[in-house]
Amino acid sequence: MSEPFIVIIAGGKGERFWPQSRAACPKHLLPVVGDKPLLVQTLDRVKPLAPAKNIFVITSAVQAKAVRAVCKGIPAANVVVEPVGRDTAAAVGLAAALVGARDPKGVFAVLPADHVIHDAKAYQTDLKAAFAAAAADDVMVTIGITPTEPATGFGYIQKGDAWKTFTIDRRRRAVSRVKRFVEKPKQEVAGQYLASGDYLWNAGMFVWSVPVVNAAFAAHAPELDAGLAKIRAALAPARKAPLDATLKRVYPKLPRISVDYALLEKSTNVVVLPSSFDWDDVGAWPAVPKHFTPDAAGNVTRGLAVVEQGSNNLVFADEKSKHLVAVLGADDLIVVHTPDATLVVPKAKAQEIKALLKRVEALRGGAKWL
Amino acid sequence: MSEPFIVIIAGGKGERFWPQSRAACPKHLLPVVGDKPLLVQTLDRVKPLAPAKNIFVITSAVQAKAVRAVCKGIPAANVVVEPVGRDTAAAVGLAAALVGARDPKGVFAVLPADHVIHDAKAYQTDLKAAFAAAAADDVMVTIGITPTEPATGFGYIQKGDAWKTFTIDRRRRAVSRVKRFVEKPKQEVAGQYLASGDYLWNAGMFVWSVPVVNAAFAAHAPELDAGLAKIRAALAPARKAPLDATLKRVYPKLPRISVDYALLEKSTNVVVLPSSFDWDDVGAWPAVPKHFTPDAAGNVTRGLAVVEQGSNNLVFADEKSKHLVAVLGADDLIVVHTPDATLVVPKAKAQEIKALLKRVEALRGGAKWL
């Protein structure tokens, strides 16, 4: 197998970690957990797997400047900007076009930028096994996250028959065929999935070759494939048409559809590698505290923050502005202070953030806080 | 009666309205309610009662600069600084010395700077009646606040026999003898006081003449009287010793005692005028909302503040800093943002602010937030 490629999808709306996250500075640009932006943590984890020139980051126009500022280890041209968001199928098609222009038979991973994974070594071992699997046969490899709770916020992947095993770094990794993809289940069903041991979380991590992806678009998503063909043409060594102009022309017309719906659920050559690394997508503020060491009362703080007579609060004060955030006699609150906005929300209500941001948007000049 | 004097006591520690209030900027320097600092509102209310040269403000060293900045309508020399706080008896003694130096038989009112009173006309009428009472006989006139609830946070004054009536601005004001002063009662007792109609709140508003006050010090507080004699001497027209130096020498040795304990409870010539004006001492953050018009969900906001899916919150954002404070899904919270500190506390826990401020004081460089 020639050297693999890695394409990191760095998008997101910047809503769920408001006010730290903004449209131009979503979760992957924040050090939600750890000291570096999650995108940088992701880049650090994948760098041992591929040469820097083989690592791409796909992002959005509004985030491009900030993404370029943190992607220092890879060539500037490898940060590619989608002129408009068109869901994950289009992004995967763009990824395949970028990789295909460099290696028509290239194997590449598509990885989210904003997940928290501490065990980089296990992550790298799993990805190496997935690269080996994608090189061994014409399959679409998904990395399924071994579930730790009956979560209702993720799609699940049901394992089918055993397929092949790969030994990487002296560790054996078993890959199974995929029986089916299922959407976010109800609580009771999620409990059954967890108990069965047959189900894995779909975390949007895929490894495959350019020919396999392009064949899937041709077979299952012809309208997308037609648009993507123009992008592939613009990237062809013979043509070298300006990519940006092509994307601006083609992208707005691409169908909005997820790669799960467009390709994976319709394909019969999908296999799954159960993850051996820790994983958290840290979906919103309430998911943050477990990554920190709390005080004796269960409070997690950052920056200049004091909690008196309160328990299980998350209190983040902006670390540069020397502003003190003091919480007195409250429990289970999230308080996040930034230079221009402060959020106060009970943990149990954090999922209502979109309703709040509609109110903020309606304020005079409200866009400046989004 | 010659023109009366008014002495406003502008002290306070700046704790209960933290983080808006600070040691150097306590409640009376804040527009807690209304658009002007409460001290300025008090000055505005008393100005029709006495010439500006007869109005004094007694404050503390740490607050002196800010107090002088807002006391623009009175002579600069009339803002007098206590070098150290020695409770209210010392302040009343200083007030009597200041007035006595100008008019040895002068009648003067001692008034708190930080109460909220909307009906200035009724307040002025009551004070005029109190001045008339203090000029009519050698009595100590207290203005007792007609209670509106069985409050346990105030001392009470029990009315005795009717004494005299005074007709001011065509309104008749009845003054009674005082039967006794009682300290902050328990809830049940407070209910009995309210039901009886015989009890009034002690709001620290007193009107009396210089000779009456000085005689009371001589009779009931000889140690204080000895110290105050040095201050009176320094203020005597013949001497004109520098007042500041005398205060710095004398004040630290004065006994710490309230004027209620030192003089009023021991005197038999105390009378009480029931107030006819609205009154609120606005003791802490939870007392603030009733002075504002809430939104449909009972939220009171100032500055850039948004409440979504929450009720009965008080949310104050600093009005100059264009910082947005957003509360989502929370009820009965107090959220106060200032340029360098933010407080989040459930209304029911606001009385614990002193415990919080001890924690703040213990922070590295914590004094800068106090």
Side-chain angles (χ1 to χ4, degrees), chain A residues 295-308:
Chain A
D295 69 13
N299 299 299
V300 167
T301 65
R302 249 192 184 184
L304 287 163
V306 173
V307 180
E308 169 69 19

PDB file of all heavy atoms in Angstrom, chain A residues 295-308:
ATOM      1  N   ASP A 295     -13.619  19.729  41.879  1.00  0.00           N
ATOM      2  CA  ASP A 295     -13.282  19.939  43.288  1.00  0.00           C
ATOM      3  C   ASP A 295     -14.117  18.975  44.133  1.00  0.00           C
ATOM      4  O   ASP A 295     -14.869  18.149  43.603  1.00  0.00           O
ATOM      5  CB  ASP A 295     -13.483  21.415  43.688  1.00  0.00           C
ATOM      6  CG  ASP A 295     -14.947  21.834  43.714  1.00  0.00           C
ATOM      7  OD1 ASP A 295     -15.840  20.961  43.675  1.00  0.00           O
ATOM      8  OD2 ASP A 295     -15.203  23.045  43.774  1.00  0.00           O
ATOM      9  N   ALA A 296     -13.986  19.072  45.441  1.00  0.00           N
ATOM     10  CA  ALA A 296     -14.649  18.110  46.325  1.00  0.00           C
ATOM     11  C   ALA A 296     -16.167  18.137  46.175  1.00  0.00           C
ATOM     12  O   ALA A 296     -16.849  17.147  46.445  1.00  0.00           O
ATOM     13  CB  ALA A 296     -14.257  18.387  47.774  1.00  0.00           C
ATOM     14  N   ALA A 297     -16.705  19.268  45.731  1.00  0.00           N
ATOM     15  CA  ALA A 297     -18.154  19.389  45.576  1.00  0.00           C
ATOM     16  C   ALA A 297     -18.595  19.110  44.139  1.00  0.00           C
ATOM     17  O   ALA A 297     -19.746  19.340  43.786  1.00  0.00           O
ATOM     18  CB  ALA A 297     -18.612  20.788  46.000  1.00  0.00           C
ATOM     19  N   GLY A 298     -17.664  18.627  43.319  1.00  0.00           N
ATOM     20  CA  GLY A 298     -18.038  18.280  41.952  1.00  0.00           C
ATOM     21  C   GLY A 298     -18.046  19.448  40.985  1.00  0.00           C
ATOM     22  O   GLY A 298     -18.522  19.323  39.860  1.00  0.00           O
ATOM     23  N   ASN A 299     -17.508  20.589  41.404  1.00  0.00           N
ATOM     24  CA  ASN A 299     -17.462  21.745  40.504  1.00  0.00           C
ATOM     25  C   ASN A 299     -16.221  21.685  39.621  1.00  0.00           C
ATOM     26  O   ASN A 299     -15.140  21.335  40.088  1.00  0.00           O
ATOM     27  CB  ASN A 299     -17.407  23.043  41.314  1.00  0.00           C
ATOM     28  CG  ASN A 299     -18.627  23.213  42.184  1.00  0.00           C
ATOM     29  OD1 ASN A 299     -19.741  23.292  41.688  1.00  0.00           O
ATOM     30  ND2 ASN A 299     -18.418  23.234  43.499  1.00  0.00           N
ATOM     31  N   VAL A 300     -16.402  22.045  38.362  1.00  0.00           N
ATOM     32  CA  VAL A 300     -15.286  22.135  37.421  1.00  0.00           C
ATOM     33  C   VAL A 300     -15.156  23.595  37.010  1.00  0.00           C
ATOM     34  O   VAL A 300     -16.134  24.211  36.581  1.00  0.00           O
ATOM     35  CB  VAL A 300     -15.534  21.251  36.184  1.00  0.00           C
ATOM     36  CG1 VAL A 300     -14.552  21.584  35.075  1.00  0.00           C
ATOM     37  CG2 VAL A 300     -15.438  19.780  36.572  1.00  0.00           C
ATOM     38  N   THR A 301     -13.965  24.157  37.182  1.00  0.00           N
ATOM     39  CA  THR A 301     -13.784  25.566  36.837  1.00  0.00           C
ATOM     40  C   THR A 301     -12.560  25.749  35.957  1.00  0.00           C
ATOM     41  O   THR A 301     -11.643  24.932  35.960  1.00  0.00           O
ATOM     42  CB  THR A 301     -13.605  26.442  38.093  1.00  0.00           C
ATOM     43  OG1 THR A 301     -12.397  26.070  38.756  1.00  0.00           O
ATOM     44  CG2 THR A 301     -14.772  26.282  39.054  1.00  0.00           C
ATOM     45  N   ARG A 302     -12.589  26.828  35.206  1.00  0.00           N
ATOM     46  CA  ARG A 302     -11.438  27.254  34.403  1.00  0.00           C
ATOM     47  C   ARG A 302     -11.347  28.758  34.518  1.00  0.00           C
ATOM     48  O   ARG A 302     -12.372  29.433  34.582  1.00  0.00           O
ATOM     49  CB  ARG A 302     -11.658  26.896  32.935  1.00  0.00           C
ATOM     50  CG  ARG A 302     -10.752  25.815  32.421  1.00  0.00           C
ATOM     51  CD  ARG A 302     -10.844  25.747  30.891  1.00  0.00           C
ATOM     52  NE  ARG A 302     -10.041  24.647  30.393  1.00  0.00           N
ATOM     53  CZ  ARG A 302      -9.860  24.370  29.108  1.00  0.00           C
ATOM     54  NH1 ARG A 302     -10.425  25.111  28.186  1.00  0.00           N
ATOM     55  NH2 ARG A 302      -9.120  23.363  28.738  1.00  0.00           N
ATOM     56  N   GLY A 303     -10.144  29.288  34.497  1.00  0.00           N
ATOM     57  CA  GLY A 303      -9.990  30.734  34.601  1.00  0.00           C
ATOM     58  C   GLY A 303     -10.293  31.187  36.012  1.00  0.00           C
ATOM     59  O   GLY A 303     -10.240  30.402  36.964  1.00  0.00           O
ATOM     60  N   LEU A 304     -10.620  32.461  36.168  1.00  0.00           N
ATOM     61  CA  LEU A 304     -10.890  33.033  37.481  1.00  0.00           C
ATOM     62  C   LEU A 304     -12.331  32.729  37.863  1.00  0.00           C
ATOM     63  O   LEU A 304     -13.249  33.463  37.511  1.00  0.00           O
ATOM     64  CB  LEU A 304     -10.649  34.539  37.447  1.00  0.00           C
ATOM     65  CG  LEU A 304      -9.177  34.941  37.390  1.00  0.00           C
ATOM     66  CD1 LEU A 304      -9.039  36.387  36.944  1.00  0.00           C
ATOM     67  CD2 LEU A 304      -8.528  34.737  38.745  1.00  0.00           C
ATOM     68  N   ALA A 305     -12.513  31.628  38.560  1.00  0.00           N
ATOM     69  CA  ALA A 305     -13.867  31.207  38.916  1.00  0.00           C
ATOM     70  C   ALA A 305     -13.885  30.734  40.359  1.00  0.00           C
ATOM     71  O   ALA A 305     -12.956  30.072  40.817  1.00  0.00           O
ATOM     72  CB  ALA A 305     -14.326  30.088  37.994  1.00  0.00           C
ATOM     73  N   VAL A 306     -14.940  31.099  41.069  1.00  0.00           N
ATOM     74  CA  VAL A 306     -15.127  30.678  42.456  1.00  0.00           C
ATOM     75  C   VAL A 306     -16.540  30.133  42.590  1.00  0.00           C
ATOM     76  O   VAL A 306     -17.490  30.740  42.093  1.00  0.00           O
ATOM     77  CB  VAL A 306     -14.968  31.871  43.431  1.00  0.00           C
ATOM     78  CG1 VAL A 306     -15.339  31.456  44.847  1.00  0.00           C
ATOM     79  CG2 VAL A 306     -13.551  32.402  43.397  1.00  0.00           C
ATOM     80  N   VAL A 307     -16.660  28.982  43.261  1.00  0.00           N
ATOM     81  CA  VAL A 307     -17.993  28.464  43.590  1.00  0.00           C
ATOM     82  C   VAL A 307     -18.066  28.331  45.104  1.00  0.00           C
ATOM     83  O   VAL A 307     -17.222  27.683  45.715  1.00  0.00           O
ATOM     84  CB  VAL A 307     -18.263  27.097  42.943  1.00  0.00           C
ATOM     85  CG1 VAL A 307     -19.655  26.608  43.331  1.00  0.00           C
ATOM     86  CG2 VAL A 307     -18.126  27.182  41.430  1.00  0.00           C
ATOM     87  N   GLU A 308     -19.049  28.972  45.710  1.00  0.00           N
ATOM     88  CA  GLU A 308     -19.244  28.898  47.162  1.00  0.00           C
ATOM     89  C   GLU A 308     -20.616  28.279  47.416  1.00  0.00           C
ATOM     90  O   GLU A 308     -21.617  28.727  46.843  1.00  0.00           O
ATOM     91  CB  GLU A 308     -19.159  30.308  47.766  1.00  0.00           C
ATOM     92  CG  GLU A 308     -19.593  30.426  49.214  1.00  0.00           C
ATOM     93  CD  GLU A 308     -18.652  29.742  50.199  1.00  0.00           C
ATOM     94  OE1 GLU A 308     -17.486  29.482  49.834  1.00  0.00           O
ATOM     95  OE2 GLU A 308     -19.092  29.445  51.323  1.00  0.00           O
TER      96      GLU A 308
END
